[in-house]
Amino acid sequence: MSNSPHTPKLVACHAFDGVMSLDVIGPLQVFGSANDELSALGRPQGYEGIVVAGASGPVQTSCGVRIYADMAWRDLDLETVDTLLVPGGVGVLTECKEPQILDWVRKAEGIVPRLGSICSGALILAEAGVLDGKMATTHWSRCEQMARDYPAIQMMGDRLHSYDPAGLDGDPHVFTSAGVTAGIDLALAIVEADFGRALALSVARRLVMFLKRPGGQAQFSAYLIPETGATARLANLLEWLPGNIAKDLSLETLAERAGMTPRTFSRVFARDLGMSPARYVERVRVESARALLQDEALAIGQVAELCGFRHPETLRRAFQRHLSVSPQEYADRFARKSLVSAN
């Protein structure tokens, strides 16, 4: 691969039948928009994006739309590739069973400077063994499966991506991203590493995106959406909860919002969700606190207040119950910025 500063970095994205269209188009659009911003500055193109698949030609995505593969993955000269991205989608499990694909991923790991996955594409990297001993994430709905099936991987389910050019809080060579649109977050991080924060911020503005969006994917996890088995009245309440965690969420308050007496509400809640209202509220608050501790430069006392715990000690006890670690231990391990430890 040429080291000339005027040679665009080749970004190849592997596509397959049933691929998630956004996993492919989202990151490639970021690199394309980076080219637009560079051109506006009178600078050479930074990236060349291509799609590879089993053969050149149309590939049907999971939404039915077809995207065009420029070439077969077998014909791609890996020596010319700067970044190889492996997306996810409903077809990912079939890809995991293809020995030739897995061999190709292993070969690529030893050649390309950057090998990454989008969403459930992490399962392909995991099956190929290139994530062993590394930090990784994937779509929140696949995190438990990935942790169970690939115990050698250090799962970081709340992270939007595990790319870190400095190699301090992730990996600059082999990395993963969380669900779907997190691939755009990953691509923005790559642009920032290649061309600086100012250009990455311009790209984010062009795409109407956060350069670094607040929170991790825990804010979209199953804990923070209405349970499918809940009654209509409870579903509305559960949808309201995540955005109101700092408020008074006492039994009486929740029951009134659900239009029930506290006694009836407790009984219906336990029947439909298998836990008490207080337990569920605490779980939602812990999930939100995890996201804040990971991505925000906030004191633990501030996180406790924002998430409705009122006091750091209350937050600490809740973390011990649900995660078996203290908030400070969690922050020390996962926070991207320095975090003030006191109240």
Side-chain angles (χ1 to χ4, degrees), residues 94-109:
T94 299
E95 292 293 290
C96 285
K97 298 175 183 176
E98 293 290 340
Q100 290 183 322
I101 291 292
L102 300 179
D103 287 343
W104 179 63
V105 169
R106 295 185 193 105
K107 180 181 178 182
E109 191 272 335

Side-chain angles (χ1 to χ4, degrees), residues 1 7-12 46-50 71 76-77 80-84:
M1 184 171 57
T7 302
K9 298 176 183 294
L10 182 60
V11 179
Y47 300 99
E48 177 187 358
I50 63 170
M71 66 174 68
L76 178 65
D77 182 359
T80 67
V81 177
D82 175 83
T83 304
L84 176 61

Side-chain angles (χ1 to χ4, degrees), residues 16 89-98 123-124 142 145:
F16 47 85
V90 295
V92 76
L93 295 182
T94 299
E95 292 293 290
C96 285
K97 298 175 183 176
E98 293 290 340
L123 295 175
I124 299 175
R142 298 279 194 174
Q145 172 193 352

Side-chain angles (χ1 to χ4, degrees), residues 204-334:
R205 285 172 176 159
R206 178 180 286 265
L207 298 177
V208 196
M209 292 282 298
F210 289 108
L211 178 55
K212 288 184 172 66
R213 92 170 92 163
Q217 69 170 345
Q219 60 191 303
F220 308 111
S221 74
Y223 290 165
L224 304 186
I225 60 175
E227 301 285 339
T228 55
T231 63
R233 285 192 295 177
L234 282 187
N236 292 335
L237 173 69
L238 299 181
E239 186 175 3
W240 172 85
L241 268 177
N244 295 275
I245 55 174
K247 297 180 179 179
D248 171 25
L249 299 180
S250 64
L251 175 62
E252 291 73 20
T253 298
L254 296 178
E256 181 179 1
R257 187 168 187 86
M260 307 179 198
T261 66
R263 183 174 180 178
T264 300
F265 175 72
S266 294
R267 185 178 69 252
V268 171
F269 202 99
R271 181 196 66 200
D272 286 4
L273 277 81
M275 69 183 76
S276 69
R279 178 74 173 178
Y280 187 88
V281 167
E282 184 175 80
R283 194 167 69 170
V284 171
R285 283 172 165 161
V286 165
E287 289 292 322
S288 296
R290 288 173 68 180
L292 289 176
L293 288 172
Q294 174 190 306
D295 283 308
E296 298 289 346
L298 296 174
I300 289 177
Q302 291 175 295
V303 172
E305 185 70 23
L306 289 170
C307 295
F309 288 105
R310 306 300 181 221
H311 193 278
E313 178 59 23
T314 309
L315 174 64
R316 187 193 67 79
R317 291 198 299 266
F319 258 58
Q320 288 290 349
R321 279 192 293 271
H322 291 268
L323 306 175
S324 299
V325 297
S326 72
Q328 187 63 57
E329 290 169 333
Y330 187 88
D332 289 343
R333 184 170 184 180
F334 296 114

Side-chain angles (χ1 to χ4, degrees), residues 93-168:
L93 295 182
T94 299
E95 292 293 290
C96 285
K97 298 175 183 176
E98 293 290 340
Q100 290 183 322
I101 291 292
L102 300 179
D103 287 343
W104 179 63
V105 169
R106 295 185 193 105
K107 180 181 178 182
E109 191 272 335
I111 298 175
V112 302
R114 293 186 290 213
L115 172 62
S117 65
I118 315 297
C119 195
S120 58
L123 295 175
I124 299 175
L125 268 58
E127 186 65 24
V130 300
L131 292 179
D132 288 356
K134 299 183 182 297
M135 294 183 287
T137 188
T138 186
H139 191 281
W140 61 262
S141 68
R142 298 279 194 174
C143 285
E144 184 176 342
Q145 172 193 352
M146 193 161 157
R148 181 188 66 243
D149 294 347
Y150 307 100
I153 298 172
Q154 183 183 345
M155 285 301 300
M156 306 175 71
D158 286 352
R159 292 284 292 273
L160 291 174
H161 62 78
S162 62
Y163 175 67
D164 179 13
L168 301 176

